[in-house]
Amino acid sequence: MNLEPAALKQMVRVVLSTRPDEIGCDECLDQLDRFVEMKLAGKDAAKAMPLVQDHLDRCRDCREEFEALLEALRALS
Ligand SMILES: [Zn+2]
């Protein structure tokens, strides 16, 4: 396993900031399209869906998914 310092830091942060009300990847991805739509509509998605934002901050996989989705929808509009 190849752990870069940044990845390690991220992992430590994830462990330290775990909260009982956080959502998992499945739930995050379920809500991601709505989250992205709000972003594109100029709405405050982070405020409306704080748990999704929270998950994106701590999960790199979902963050990449989010950015890819955002890019794709931006390209379409
Ligand atoms: Zn995730």
Side-chain angles (χ1 to χ4, degrees):
M1 195 155 128
N2 177 24
L3 276 182
E4 294 165 30
L8 200 61
K9 234 160 115 183
Q10 169 81 2
M11 273 176 66
V12 170
R13 212 168 51 131
V14 166
V15 171
L16 289 179
S17 60
T18 297
R19 294 205 316 252
D21 63 340
E22 76 182 38
I23 58 174
C25 292
D26 288 347
E27 209 172 330
C28 177
L29 292 175
D30 269 356
Q31 300 180 46
L32 199 57
D33 54 343
R34 201 150 63 91
F35 189 83
V36 170
E37 273 169 23
M38 287 188 76
K39 279 257 182 207
L40 289 173
K43 292 177 188 156
D44 196 345
K47 200 170 176 186
M49 304 169 78
L51 291 180
V52 174
Q53 179 65 57
D54 187 58
H55 185 86
L56 291 176
D57 284 345
R58 74 183 71 231
C59 179
R60 205 167 66 176
D61 287 348
C62 289
R63 174 108 208 152
E64 278 171 12
E65 194 73 32
F66 161 69
E67 274 163 11
L69 197 57
L70 197 61
E71 280 298 307
L73 287 177
R74 270 208 183 119
L76 282 176
S77 61

